[in-house]
Amino acid sequence: MKPAGMLRQVSDFSDFSRGHWLQELLCQGEEPSHVQSSPDGQHLLVLQKSRPPPLPRLVAFQRHSISGADLERNWQPPQPALVELLFLQNPVTLGSWVLAIVWEHGRTEVWHFVMATGWQLLQTLELCQGARARIISVCSQGASLVWCEERPPLDAHSDMSKCAFRFCVCTRALEAGERGMQLGTVRIVLHNSPEYQVLASPQHVFLVPTAASFVTTSKFLLIWHPEEAKLTIAAPSAGFVHSKVVRSSSESDFRKLLLGSVGLLSGLAPLDIHTSAVSSSGGLLLVSTKGAVNMVEPDGTERHIFDLEVGTLSQGSPVQLKTFDSILACVLAGVLYLVDQNSGRLIEKKILSMKEVHFLESPEEEDSIQLLSQTGIYSFSFSKPENRSRPEPCLVEMVFEEACRYYQRRSLSSSKLTVEKLKKGGMFQAPVALAAILQHSLCQKQKLARGLQDTYAKLLSTMSLELQSYRSLELLKTCVVCAPESEVESYCEELVEQEVSRVLHSDVDKDNLAYLNSVFTSFPKAAWKATRSCLQLQQNGDGLLVARATPEVWKKVLGGPLQEEVGQNGLVPLFELICASFLRFKPKWLPSFVELTQQYVSVSWAFSSKEGPEGQVPLYKRALGVLGRKNKRSEADDEMELELLLCSKRPKAVLQALNLLIRLKRWPRVVEVAGKFSKLSPLLNKEIFTMLLAEFAQHRELDPYLDMLWPLCPPELTTTDILTMVLQHLPHSQEDPVPFSSEGNQLTLGLLKPLLQRVVQHPCVQDEMYSDALQSPTFPPPTPPREH
């Protein structure tokens, strides 16, 4: 690995006021001091927390021997501990800053440095409103302070589970008042919460659970978006989980925030966090106890950056993190790691001769990293490569590193595989071929005149479609970023279509299903258009819905994880996602779509197969479940339920549809459905006729349709059967029966006469069964011969 830069000393503390004392303070004490530089880089603040009496001390040193009063603060018990030193924007003078010293009990001193007079105390403020509150963590964002405070319960014998949620996250802005600096009103971000460490980026605030938190609440972290008044739940192992707008204190309750995500969060593993810091890009850097460095973006997504070459990190092993542009600098156990944040590639690994190292702000030199040690300030400058137009070496290196991780996971050997071993071994040709293909396909403008070797030609032809898809996807992402607002929607629709198509052509496991859920939720209209395109849904000339999707796509739609498999974690199976899109954008197509899926199932799976999608829950019931989740019920929903029941053509569903029609008193449709579905099977015909005969006996609504009802009478029914059913379903009258009623709504024999005549004229089915035996010339029939 070629060195990326040189380490050079830029200061030996002689350019600081009281430079010798600064060096002595850095060399004192067994535990490392806390060193912080001002935003302009002209001041160094050294905080010593563990030293002989008098106890903790804060000293400020000015660069270039700036004249004026020095800042030196000592405090000793019983004064509470100092929590943090923060630099905030000055609300009075634009472009300047102030220093806030925050103590545990909430007292805050605001200091300002003036060129002529030096450090001045502007104001002493009380951050917390309650006298018993104790600040756990605090950070600054612009001119505002955000902190997590402990509010002990009034009852000393309170339940421990309730005491765990005794913390509150608040924010106040530093404002200019009549008497100088003052704090604005307290705004509660989150209350009744566990203990959190607050870390601020320019636009967001990260709430990271501490080691003292409960196991159940240490599986995720929270991200607060002040401008949108929104809290986001993110779990590094699951990505974005949930987001909620919080505008009032009633909405900021921690337990209410988690109410809709308990199922998903309960199955996650606790966070493994050793060190956390905010990057210059606004993301959250997390270092696990195993040395893995990850970045959590403000939207909740997470990506892996790098793995430190260490075993298990203990709490006493400090890790320093700092980002400079796109470079991540990390100091661990006297070793400086420089990593490219975008690719995760290790740029430089340098062993330092310094015992204690601190990163400093370097506003004047953005392309360098400044390190403070006990002997001075050092700068690590990056050397620019001579030719930046040739990304192939970096690309090949990335491919080899990825190949190492791939083969290491599948290797039976315990020895660590390195890039050098992979190159020299000569047994893995796939990474070399893939690197050559990427070099040839992704750098068309800069490729050499010679073509690929014949060895890779076959592999290139195999992967050409995948590479073209990858290139088009990357080009589309670039277009989305650079496009004007009027064209973003069309690009997003195209991007969603490509993503849905990609997932449907891969294995729809739980991870992919969660991804599809987020796509359908975030881009419902684009996801609907993508579904129509992938399934090739359209109407033919007769107005019927047809789908020309391949059998593989149908199996992905119907064969993914069901609701019982994904659990109560908020995930919706793919078939239900598509049904919800139909209901939202094209409801009249939903019954036809369910019918199409049933036709495909009948062809692809056996009717009694337990492996098919209909082996557990019928498709029409799954579609009805989507319909039942609608908040408001309308007449159109009743019609949709009716169509879904009928399109299944299942006996129970048909009878349920008839009951629904009878309840709605839609008698013409009742007779129409009865006539259509009675032809499916004799058993269903008998059930339908029995149901309608019972209705006929109770009221006179069906009298106009008797000419269409009586032909449905099954041939096995006798007059006795009919009269018995009619008598069983006659309405019970409160008055004594009379021979002649004036109401005109009672059942008469005249109405039953056509049906009875029809039954008498048709021979009984049992008579037809025995007619051949009765007409036999010999009775009884001869005994059949015995077999010996």
Side-chain angles (χ1 to χ4, degrees):
M1 187 184 306
K2 296 182 179 180
M6 298 297 294
L7 191 65
R8 59 186 178 88
Q9 187 175 17
V10 295
S11 173
D12 58 356
F13 301 134
S14 61
D15 55 341
F16 280 86
S17 61
R18 301 176 295 171
H20 292 290
W21 189 26
L22 170 60
Q23 191 169 11
E24 291 177 3
L25 288 179
L26 293 175
C27 296
Q28 288 178 0
E30 298 180 357
E31 295 187 7
S33 303
H34 177 77
V35 180
Q36 197 166 343
S37 63
S38 61
D40 56 8
Q42 299 301 312
H43 303 265
L44 276 181
L45 279 75
V46 179
L47 173 64
Q48 289 183 303
K49 293 186 177 181
S50 298
R51 53 181 292 271
L55 287 171
R57 175 169 58 187
L58 170 66
V59 185
F61 298 90
Q62 289 73 249
R63 191 173 258 195
H64 304 304
S65 299
I66 302 174
S67 61
D70 296 323
L71 173 61
E72 183 176 350
R73 298 282 286 114
N74 293 284
W75 62 94
Q76 50 189 317
Q79 185 171 348
L82 188 144
V83 179
E84 194 65 68
L85 306 174
L86 300 169
F87 290 97
L88 291 87
Q89 293 178 2
N90 193 333
V92 178
T93 307
L94 295 178
S96 62
W97 49 266
V98 295
L99 170 66
I101 306 176
V102 184
W103 273 269
E104 191 178 57
H105 63 314
R107 186 164 64 94
T108 303
E109 293 182 357
V110 181
W111 291 78
H112 180 51
F113 185 84
V114 182
M115 190 67 69
T117 58
W119 287 97
Q120 294 180 349
L121 178 63
L122 297 180
Q123 202 78 29
T124 300
L125 306 169
E126 292 296 333
L127 201 57
C128 302
Q129 291 184 325
R132 303 174 71 245
R134 184 174 68 95
I135 293 181
I136 304 299
S137 173
V138 62
C139 64
S140 63
Q141 187 181 61
S144 298
L145 289 168
V146 183
W147 73 93
C148 176
E149 67 178 43
E150 179 185 10
R151 295 180 173 180
L154 298 176
D155 184 6
H157 303 284
S158 298
D159 187 9
M160 287 301 297
S161 62
K162 295 181 180 179
C163 293
F165 299 94
R166 64 184 184 274
F167 297 88
C168 181
V169 179
C170 311
T171 178
R172 296 181 80 172
L174 193 63
E175 301 173 348
E178 297 179 356
R179 299 181 180 179
M181 296 290 179
Q182 67 179 24
L183 289 171
T185 57
V186 177
R187 178 182 176 185
I188 296 178
V189 179
L190 191 68
H191 64 91
N192 294 333
S193 73
E195 182 178 345
Y196 278 110
Q197 178 190 9
V198 290
L199 299 168
S201 70
Q203 303 295 331
H204 311 88
V205 178
F206 296 93
L207 279 64
V208 182
T210 62
S213 300
F214 272 13
V215 176
T216 53
T217 59
S218 63
K219 299 180 179 182
F220 56 91
L221 51 88
L222 302 177
I223 306 171
W224 180 46
H225 311 261
E227 293 184 356
E228 305 173 26
K230 182 175 68 174
L231 274 170
T232 297
I233 305 174
S237 60
F240 172 84
V241 176
H242 179 62
S243 186
K244 181 181 180 182
V245 176
V246 178
R247 300 193 183 277
S248 63
S249 58
S250 61
E251 295 176 336
S252 61
D253 186 86
F254 177 77
R255 298 175 185 180
K256 291 182 180 178
L257 178 68
L258 301 185
L259 197 57
S261 309
V262 175
L264 174 60
L265 296 174
S266 61
L268 301 178
L271 297 179
D272 181 13
I273 301 176
H274 178 274
T275 306
S276 57
V278 178
S279 70
S280 57
S281 62
L284 178 66
L285 292 167
L286 298 177
V287 181
S288 70
T289 55
K290 298 179 180 178
V293 183
N294 298 299
M295 171 84 79
V296 178
E297 300 294 344
D299 60 359
T301 58
E302 185 213 25
R303 63 185 179 90
H304 178 70
I305 296 180
F306 185 69
D307 288 317
L308 298 172
E309 297 177 357
V310 294
T312 302
L313 293 172
S314 62
Q315 292 298 327
S317 304
V319 180
Q320 299 279 342
L321 293 173
K322 188 74 174 177
T323 56
F324 299 85
D325 195 17
S326 62
I327 304 298
L328 168 64
C330 177
V331 174
L332 172 62
V335 180
L336 171 65
Y337 298 87
L338 300 178
V339 182
D340 187 345
Q341 288 188 89
N342 298 325
S343 64
R345 188 170 63 93
L346 179 64
I347 300 174
E348 180 83 1
K349 179 182 176 182
K350 197 172 189 66
I351 299 177
L352 304 175
S353 59
M354 313 154 189
K355 180 181 178 182
E356 185 179 335
V357 173
H358 304 273
F359 288 113
L360 299 180
E361 299 289 342
S362 52
E364 298 178 357
E365 301 180 14
E366 295 182 355
D367 59 342
S368 65
I369 296 174
Q370 285 198 358
L371 304 171
L372 181 140
S373 72
Q374 298 173 352
T375 59
I377 299 177
Y378 295 83
S379 176
F380 194 92
S381 301
F382 301 100
S383 59
K384 299 181 180 179
E386 298 178 358
N387 186 6
R388 288 180 176 267
S389 62
R390 297 289 302 278
E392 291 86 357
C394 175
L395 184 64
V396 173
E397 199 72 23
M398 286 174 56
V399 172
F400 271 107
E401 290 176 2
E402 182 63 31
C404 281
R405 287 192 287 268
Y406 177 84
Y407 288 117
Q408 188 71 57
R409 288 195 301 266
R410 289 155 179 79
S411 176
L412 298 177
S413 174
S414 59
S415 61
K416 186 174 179 60
L417 183 63
T418 62
V419 174
E420 287 74 17
K421 290 181 182 179
L422 192 62
K423 288 181 179 179
K424 294 178 182 179
M427 61 184 70
F428 300 120
Q429 293 297 322
V432 184
L434 186 56
I437 290 169
L438 291 171
Q439 175 182 352
H440 177 76
S441 300
L442 300 180
C443 308
Q444 291 289 340
K445 296 181 180 179
Q446 300 172 4
K447 68 176 182 177
L448 301 177
R450 62 181 180 84
L452 285 175
Q453 301 177 17
D454 296 337
T455 311
Y456 308 141
K458 183 177 180 180
L459 188 57
L460 174 60
S461 63
T462 305
M463 298 185 62
S464 59
L465 293 178
E466 295 293 331
L467 289 171
Q468 289 176 11
S469 176
Y470 171 77
R471 291 186 62 194
S472 62
L473 183 60
E474 292 299 317
L475 180 61
L476 184 58
K477 290 179 180 178
T478 306
C479 293
V480 171
V481 174
C482 304
E485 189 174 354
S486 58
E487 299 178 7
V488 169
E489 184 177 357
S490 61
Y491 282 125
C492 285
E493 290 180 356
E494 185 178 348
L495 181 60
V496 170
E497 181 177 343
Q498 289 193 20
E499 286 295 278
V500 172
S501 176
R502 179 185 64 82
V503 175
L504 288 181
H505 286 85
S506 60
D507 293 333
V508 185
D509 53 11
K510 292 183 181 180
D511 293 335
N512 279 334
L513 183 60
Y515 177 61
L516 283 178
N517 272 255
S518 64
V519 169
F520 273 75
T521 303
S522 303
F523 308 99
K525 187 175 181 181
W528 160 246
K529 292 183 178 180
T531 303
R532 288 186 58 179
S533 176
C534 293
L535 297 180
Q536 301 184 42
L537 294 171
Q538 57 186 358
Q539 283 183 311
N540 60 10
D542 298 331
L544 300 176
L545 184 67
V546 294
R548 294 183 173 86
T550 61
E552 289 75 15
V553 173
W554 273 118
K555 286 186 178 180
K556 300 297 171 38
V557 171
L558 301 175
L562 298 179
Q563 193 68 51
E564 294 79 5
E565 299 175 11
V566 298
Q568 303 298 324
N569 54 6
L571 290 185
V572 180
L574 181 54
F575 178 76
E576 278 79 352
L577 280 177
I578 297 176
C579 288
S581 289
F582 271 101
L583 278 177
R584 181 170 182 176
F585 298 102
K586 205 73 172 178
K588 65 179 181 179
W589 282 11
L590 179 57
S592 301
F593 171 72
V594 175
E595 195 169 0
L596 280 174
T597 55
Q598 290 178 155
Q599 292 174 6
Y600 172 76
V601 169
S602 63
V603 174
S604 302
W605 282 282
F607 182 77
S608 60
S609 174
K610 294 294 183 182
E611 298 178 357
E614 295 242 325
Q616 297 180 357
V617 181
L619 294 175
Y620 81 93
K621 286 190 176 181
R622 294 173 64 180
L624 285 173
V626 176
L627 180 64
R629 285 194 285 267
K630 292 186 66 175
N631 295 330
K632 295 182 179 180
R633 188 81 175 182
S634 62
E635 294 182 3
D637 294 332
D638 292 335
E639 184 66 27
M640 179 61 65
E641 180 182 354
L642 181 65
E643 293 297 332
L644 289 174
L645 290 170
L646 293 177
C647 76
S648 70
K649 298 180 181 179
R650 288 179 171 241
K652 290 184 178 180
V654 172
L655 294 175
Q656 187 178 346
L658 276 176
N659 276 319
L660 177 61
L661 287 171
I662 291 172
R663 191 169 67 249
L664 297 175
K665 298 183 178 182
R666 297 172 57 181
W667 307 113
R669 188 72 194 279
V670 168
V671 178
E672 177 190 347
V673 171
K676 178 180 179 181
F677 290 93
S678 293
K679 302 174 184 178
L680 294 181
S681 70
L683 184 60
L684 180 59
N685 180 22
K686 183 177 180 180
E687 293 285 344
I688 291 175
F689 182 78
T690 303
M691 179 188 296
L692 297 184
L693 187 61
E695 288 294 322
F696 164 75
Q698 295 177 27
H699 51 75
R700 307 276 56 80
E701 301 288 349
L702 283 171
D703 290 357
Y705 311 99
L706 294 181
D707 292 341
M708 293 178 284
L709 180 59
W710 297 149
L712 304 180
C713 179
E716 66 269 17
L717 289 183
T718 63
T719 55
T720 304
D721 297 333
I722 292 174
L723 291 175
T724 302
M725 284 188 288
V726 169
L727 292 174
Q728 287 177 349
H729 292 90
L730 283 176
H732 299 284
S733 176
Q734 299 295 335
E735 302 177 357
D736 295 333
V738 294
F740 303 99
S741 175
S742 59
E743 297 180 2
N745 59 353
Q746 291 187 349
L747 177 62
T748 63
L749 287 175
L751 295 173
L752 277 174
K753 183 177 179 181
L755 174 61
L756 298 175
Q757 289 178 341
R758 185 183 185 89
V759 173
V760 171
Q761 291 173 2
H762 284 68
C764 181
V765 174
Q766 294 182 356
D767 294 343
E768 294 180 357
M769 292 172 57
Y770 297 108
S771 61
D772 294 338
L774 293 174
Q775 295 176 5
S776 176
T778 58
F779 187 83
T783 303
R786 299 182 179 221
E787 295 180 359
H788 298 284

